[in-house]
Amino acid sequence: MTKAKLSDPDVRDRLIATLREVQAEKKAVHVIHFKDRWLVLNERSPGRRKSFEDKDGAIEHARGVARDRRFDLVVHGRDGSVQQVESFR
Amino acid sequence: MPPRPDGFDRNVFINCPFDSEYLPLARALAFTVLACGFRPRVATERSDSGEVRVEKIRELIQSSRLSIHDLSRMEPLRTDELPRFNMPFELGLDLGCRHWGGAHLKRKQCLILDRERYRFQRALSDISGSDIRAHSNDPEQLVQQVRSWLRVVSKEALPAAGRLWERLSIFRSHLEIMLGREGFSAREAEALEMTEYIDFVDTWMRTAEDPTR
């Protein structure tokens, strides 16, 4: 079977639909680095973020929120890449 | 005199490498331009293989009031190779276009990026005095520099750099989840063409309620 190509228009439409689904779920708590601080950001609480000096403290707090809400914990690296995902769904 | 093309004022020509090493910076750059309400224009968006590359570049430069040139990879990929000249060549075309094109082209403005602020001036001293900013190969710094420059040249209220960085980080995770659910590997995700990436960012921004507001 030929593997689907990202450039195929049908595949593109399917991916766009999936992207919208992922976006609509809003079930993740992110740990994000910015200007020497680590921020915890809940996709369900726009505009509210908690700031930490160290990454471990931010992860611990975010993990607690994700566990309580049955969300995913998404930890980003300093370059913004996704380093670690833990699901509590 | 060439007519002023549609979208001229919002178009931003992006002159940067698209290799895997630079990819996180290239994607952060395109995301920031879109998130600030501008339209990134890249050479790979025109897929007519019969068109000579320099003609594509010329048309993109002519149809964009703004341009961003990243010279941080103006060096050989391997020690036994010559440096890559495409980026400084396209910067030269862009600067020349201001002076030898139509009246609207005199309003063109460009940002030059490098990894260190004064590094490339040793090799390209003719452009001393241009708006040159350093990103230290760090996507977070690149987002801040590009946003800050767009703020100055557009005189518009733009989202804060921190909000842009948060949105980019969240978008990256959504993109990974989307590709994973549809059976694409991390390697295939990395091979995503820049035009496809821009298409996904654009869709995501149009759909999104900004989770970082």
Side-chain angles (χ1 to χ4, degrees), chain A residues 42-82:
Chain A
N42 181 344
E43 289 186 18
R44 281 279 171 93
S45 310
R48 291 175 62 185
R49 53 188 66 69
K50 201 166 165 68
S51 172
F52 293 82
E53 268 181 31
D54 66 298
K55 190 175 187 179
D56 288 344
I59 292 174
E60 193 181 336
H61 176 77
R63 188 178 281 124
V65 175
R67 191 180 284 123
D68 286 351
R69 305 245 179 144
R70 297 189 179 177
F71 281 8
D72 293 335
L73 163 67
V74 183
V75 181
H76 297 261
R78 281 176 179 263
D79 64 356
S81 62
V82 176

Side-chain angles (χ1 to χ4, degrees), chain B residues 144-165:
Chain B
Q144 293 175 53
Q145 297 291 11
V146 170
R147 183 264 173 207
S148 161
W149 177 74
L150 285 171
R151 169 77 185 87
V152 171
V153 295
S154 70
K155 300 179 181 67
E156 294 173 12
L158 299 178
R163 301 296 86 77
L164 293 172
W165 180 247

Side-chain angles (χ1 to χ4, degrees), chain A residues 3 7 12 14-16 18 20 23 25-26 30 33-35 39 43 46-47 49 76 79 81, chain B residues 140 144 163 165-166 169 172-174 178 181-183 188 196 199 203-204 207-209 212-213:
Chain A
K3 191 159 172 46
S7 53
R12 183 241 176 224
R14 210 174 65 222
L15 287 168
I16 292 281
T18 307
R20 288 188 172 133
Q23 206 172 2
E25 287 171 7
K26 294 183 191 162
H30 296 261
H33 177 267
F34 188 70
K35 284 189 175 172
L39 308 175
E43 289 186 18
R49 53 188 66 69
H76 297 261
D79 64 356
S81 62
Chain B
E140 187 185 308
Q144 293 175 53
R163 301 296 86 77
W165 180 247
E166 289 169 6
S169 301
R172 287 180 75 156
S173 75
H174 287 182
M178 170 197 81
R181 281 188 191 171
E182 293 296 333
E188 286 167 312
E196 292 158 355
D199 188 23
T203 301
W204 188 83
T207 313
E209 173 196 350
T212 64
R213 241 184 354 216

Side-chain angles (χ1 to χ4, degrees), chain B residues 117-138:
Chain B
R117 190 147 190 202
Y118 300 107
R119 184 187 72 100
F120 74 90
Q121 286 182 357
R122 292 193 289 272
L124 196 58
S125 57
D126 287 357
I127 54 169
S128 298
S130 301
D131 196 350
I132 302 156
R133 300 184 186 209
H135 56 55
S136 309
N137 287 332
D138 175 1

Side-chain angles (χ1 to χ4, degrees), chain B residues 187-204:
Chain B
R187 197 171 180 163
E188 286 167 312
E190 199 173 281
L192 195 65
E193 287 280 337
M194 183 50 94
T195 45
E196 292 158 355
Y197 176 81
I198 288 171
D199 188 23
F200 288 131
V201 174
D202 193 37
T203 301
W204 188 83

